[in-house]
Amino acid sequence: MRLTVAQAVVRFLARQWSERDGVERRFFGGCVGIFGHGNVAGIGQALATANEAAGETGDELPYLLSRNEQAMVHTAAGYARASNRLATLACTTSIGPGATNMVTGAAGATINRLPVLLLPGDLFSTRVAGPLLQELEDQRSYDISVNDCLKPVSRFWDRINRPEQLPSALLAAMRVLTDPAETGAVTLALPQDVQAEAYDWPEELFARRVWHVPRPRPERAALERAAERLRAAERPLIVAGGGALYSEATGELRAFAERFGVPVAETQAGKGALPHGHPLAVGAIGATGTTAANALAREADVVIGVGTRYSDFTTASRTLFAPDAAFVNINVTGFDAAKLSGLQLVADAREGLAELAGALAGWSAPPALRERAGELTREWDAAVDAAFALEGTPPSQAAVIGAVNAAAGADGVVVCAAGSMPGDLHKLWRPSGPGSYHVEYGYSCMGYEIAGGLGVKLAAPEREVFVLVGDGSYLMMAQELVTAVAEGVKLTVVLVDNSGFASIGRLSESVGARRLGTAYTAGDGGPLPVDLAANAASLGAAVVRAETVADLRKALDAARAGDVTTVIHVRTDRLADDVPSSRAWWDVPVAQVGTPEAVREEYAAGKRAQHLHLAPPG
């Protein structure tokens, strides 16, 4: 079959499927891109001709025009997460700045263990025309380009210098993308002359190919060790991470918790593993956690980690769990299962929980643990109710979150990423269940929100998507509003404008940096003459200005009932701190000279409370 390299790439991608538990789905929902001289004659031409013929072959790879290359990777990551990593989008760019703009998005995808495929254009493999426009010349080698920047943030990286290299690279890329233990960003750098080169391909390369996504089961000996350790536990606690959701293990998690009486706390990625109101759901854990989950974490003698990578926010910089706490970690990767000297159950979360439950037959946690979990959770819920009920003008951020939470209902998804909002959401948001909470906090990348929300809506069009974004993040990357409008993809964006950086402002003050550079002000210290609502309207969104919580609720109801992308602009107070404290710590070093003594003493106290958890497992 004679095709160009780019045509072969497109045809191959359109015929890739994933399968888990007997359910098959297309792995690539489409290709997001921006064309330039490095990909327009290759991937661009291939997409145009392939999609013209898609009606006859059914091999469709829809194209979506993005407005920023970093944003397109966020969109792909949002799509992948909303698809539980069983599907994603491909991303194509030209050479030079188009390619390097993807580095941040790729880092976020890899950190969050989300599959995205990057197809940047590259230099001429023949080198005849060089140096090219946008080429980075390197005196050490002619084989280096800016695409090498993507190597450290990719789980697999390859440059296709000859057509013959393409089949093995495509298969390797798919292996990594569909492997839950290895997945992340994958980069195939495509020299622009090679993209356009024709080659006679074996037809079997383009056969419909189904990639089985495995559910590895735990080793029997490891299972027995974990069960033995848990049978001795008096105060166990489950920490549910993103793996519990990606593996669709929430049913098994709920059954395990109910059968054995073990409370469930949730990381940012794991929030929604149990719905709010479940008697064993104690909410968020860690530096942005609830007082209920954190109290139980401090008291826990055995912690069962389910699909969590134990970030510093989850462990409160290793100050949260008792020094002698033992860890039993169910994770599809040994890398994460081994953390905190844990007993490793290297397994799919669903399979690991089911088999651990079988090994624990006849055991349960003391009934007093259920009672304590319920009591602590009721106390926290009362504090959240009070925060949600604040009715001041301007509205508090807690009240804004409460209004959006109510509007989201059972089918809504909240999307957020950076600033003070993710921490407040982790504490306050009451999830309806799996998929209702989508906060990118592995990389906490400003600018993810609208682009990521677009990916969520593309993957789950039946759900209402509510994007919460601060003015700082909005100014980083608002332009995907144009993509949503152009594609008719409905988002409800709540733009919280507090004229600066609330989160970093509070952190700056706490470490003695005096809120330097955290307010949006003019040179004379007065307010900036910037109208973000007008900006959103200029990008094609319907815009509503909400002055009060009542205005916000009305606007949310109208946006939910409508069918267009709507931006609701609401002002809040950057200096207000109206959210209940998690009573946990986060390690951010303070200057040893020039910082107030009280700040240094507080930091020293936090450092003294850190535990390395080095005791051998078991």
Side-chain angles (χ1 to χ4, degrees), residues 15 135 150 176 222 266 319 331 333 349 361 364 410 438 447 451 476 491 528 537 558:
R15 295 192 169 187
E135 176 178 348
L150 287 158
V176 173
E266 298 168 331
T319 63
N331 205 292
T333 74
S364 67
H438 185 115
M476 289 273 185
L491 302 176
L528 283 173

Short mmCIF file of all heavy atoms in Angstrom, two decimals, residues 15 135 150 176 222 266 319 331 333 349 361 364 410 438 447 451 476 491 528 537 558:
data_model
loop_
_atom_site.label_atom_id
_atom_site.label_comp_id
_atom_site.label_asym_id
_atom_site.label_seq_id
_atom_site.Cartn_x
_atom_site.Cartn_y
_atom_site.Cartn_z
N ARG A 15 -7.04 3.26 13.26
CA ARG A 15 -7.43 1.86 13.39
C ARG A 15 -6.97 1.23 14.69
O ARG A 15 -6.94 0.00 14.82
CB ARG A 15 -6.90 1.07 12.19
CG ARG A 15 -7.53 1.53 10.87
CD ARG A 15 -7.24 0.61 9.73
NE ARG A 15 -8.06 0.95 8.57
CZ ARG A 15 -8.14 0.23 7.46
NH1 ARG A 15 -7.43 -0.88 7.36
NH2 ARG A 15 -8.89 0.61 6.45
N GLU A 135 15.14 26.40 13.25
CA GLU A 135 16.05 25.32 13.65
C GLU A 135 16.98 25.78 14.76
O GLU A 135 17.55 26.89 14.71
CB GLU A 135 16.90 24.87 12.45
CG GLU A 135 17.93 23.80 12.82
CD GLU A 135 18.74 23.31 11.63
OE1 GLU A 135 18.36 23.62 10.48
OE2 GLU A 135 19.74 22.60 11.85
N LEU A 150 11.67 17.38 24.52
CA LEU A 150 10.55 16.55 24.94
C LEU A 150 10.99 15.20 25.51
O LEU A 150 10.16 14.47 26.06
CB LEU A 150 9.59 16.34 23.77
CG LEU A 150 8.76 17.57 23.38
CD1 LEU A 150 8.27 17.47 21.95
CD2 LEU A 150 7.58 17.72 24.34
N VAL A 176 3.22 1.72 25.03
CA VAL A 176 3.37 2.58 26.19
C VAL A 176 2.06 3.29 26.52
O VAL A 176 1.64 3.38 27.68
CB VAL A 176 4.51 3.59 25.97
CG1 VAL A 176 4.57 4.61 27.10
CG2 VAL A 176 5.84 2.87 25.83
N ALA A 222 2.73 -11.86 48.34
CA ALA A 222 2.54 -10.47 48.77
C ALA A 222 1.15 -10.28 49.35
O ALA A 222 0.96 -9.54 50.33
CB ALA A 222 2.75 -9.54 47.57
N GLU A 266 -9.42 10.60 50.37
CA GLU A 266 -9.17 10.72 48.94
C GLU A 266 -8.12 11.78 48.63
O GLU A 266 -8.12 12.86 49.21
CB GLU A 266 -10.48 11.10 48.21
CG GLU A 266 -11.55 10.03 48.35
CD GLU A 266 -12.92 10.52 47.89
OE1 GLU A 266 -13.19 11.73 47.99
OE2 GLU A 266 -13.73 9.68 47.44
N THR A 319 4.40 14.63 57.21
CA THR A 319 4.14 14.94 58.62
C THR A 319 2.80 14.37 59.08
O THR A 319 2.47 14.46 60.26
CB THR A 319 4.11 16.46 58.86
OG1 THR A 319 3.03 17.04 58.11
CG2 THR A 319 5.42 17.12 58.45
N ASN A 331 -0.93 -0.88 43.82
CA ASN A 331 -0.64 0.02 42.71
C ASN A 331 -0.18 -0.79 41.52
O ASN A 331 0.50 -1.80 41.67
CB ASN A 331 0.43 1.05 43.09
CG ASN A 331 0.34 2.31 42.25
OD1 ASN A 331 0.61 2.28 41.05
ND2 ASN A 331 -0.04 3.42 42.87
N THR A 333 2.00 0.01 39.47
CA THR A 333 3.45 0.16 39.30
C THR A 333 4.18 -0.13 40.60
O THR A 333 3.78 0.35 41.67
CB THR A 333 3.84 1.57 38.84
OG1 THR A 333 3.71 2.48 39.92
CG2 THR A 333 2.96 2.04 37.70
N ALA A 349 -5.96 -1.88 40.62
CA ALA A 349 -6.65 -1.53 41.86
C ALA A 349 -7.88 -2.40 42.09
O ALA A 349 -8.15 -2.86 43.21
CB ALA A 349 -7.02 -0.05 41.85
N ALA A 361 -11.15 -12.50 54.74
CA ALA A 361 -12.44 -13.04 55.18
C ALA A 361 -12.44 -13.31 56.67
O ALA A 361 -11.52 -13.92 57.22
CB ALA A 361 -12.74 -14.32 54.40
N SER A 364 -12.60 -7.71 60.50
CA SER A 364 -13.13 -6.36 60.29
C SER A 364 -12.48 -5.43 61.29
O SER A 364 -11.99 -5.87 62.35
CB SER A 364 -14.65 -6.32 60.44
OG SER A 364 -15.04 -6.59 61.77
N ALA A 410 -25.90 15.81 39.94
CA ALA A 410 -25.38 14.45 39.84
C ALA A 410 -24.56 14.21 38.59
O ALA A 410 -23.72 13.31 38.56
CB ALA A 410 -26.54 13.46 39.89
N HIS A 438 -12.53 16.84 38.66
CA HIS A 438 -11.39 16.76 37.73
C HIS A 438 -10.48 17.95 38.00
O HIS A 438 -10.64 19.01 37.41
CB HIS A 438 -11.92 16.78 36.30
CG HIS A 438 -10.87 16.59 35.25
ND1 HIS A 438 -10.84 15.49 34.41
CD2 HIS A 438 -9.81 17.36 34.88
CE1 HIS A 438 -9.81 15.60 33.58
NE2 HIS A 438 -9.18 16.73 33.85
N GLY A 447 -3.42 27.57 33.51
CA GLY A 447 -3.81 27.54 32.12
C GLY A 447 -4.45 26.23 31.69
O GLY A 447 -4.98 26.13 30.58
N ALA A 451 -8.72 24.58 28.71
CA ALA A 451 -8.30 23.56 27.74
C ALA A 451 -8.63 22.16 28.24
O ALA A 451 -9.12 21.31 27.48
CB ALA A 451 -6.80 23.69 27.49
N MET A 476 -3.29 33.30 31.72
CA MET A 476 -2.27 32.42 31.15
C MET A 476 -2.76 31.78 29.84
O MET A 476 -2.00 31.64 28.89
CB MET A 476 -1.91 31.30 32.14
CG MET A 476 -1.14 31.76 33.34
SD MET A 476 0.61 31.76 32.99
CE MET A 476 1.27 32.18 34.61
N LEU A 491 -19.22 24.76 27.46
CA LEU A 491 -18.59 24.80 28.78
C LEU A 491 -19.26 25.88 29.60
O LEU A 491 -19.68 26.91 29.05
CB LEU A 491 -17.09 25.11 28.68
CG LEU A 491 -16.20 24.18 27.85
CD1 LEU A 491 -14.78 24.75 27.81
CD2 LEU A 491 -16.20 22.78 28.43
N LEU A 528 -5.92 47.87 38.06
CA LEU A 528 -5.67 47.86 36.62
C LEU A 528 -6.99 48.07 35.87
O LEU A 528 -8.03 47.53 36.27
CB LEU A 528 -5.08 46.51 36.20
CG LEU A 528 -3.61 46.26 36.50
CD1 LEU A 528 -3.26 44.81 36.16
CD2 LEU A 528 -2.73 47.20 35.72
N ALA A 537 -16.04 37.93 26.37
CA ALA A 537 -17.06 38.20 25.35
C ALA A 537 -16.43 38.39 23.99
O ALA A 537 -16.97 37.95 22.96
CB ALA A 537 -17.86 39.43 25.75
N ALA A 558 -29.04 29.34 34.49
CA ALA A 558 -29.28 29.70 33.09
C ALA A 558 -28.24 29.06 32.18
O ALA A 558 -28.57 28.57 31.08
CB ALA A 558 -29.25 31.22 32.95
#
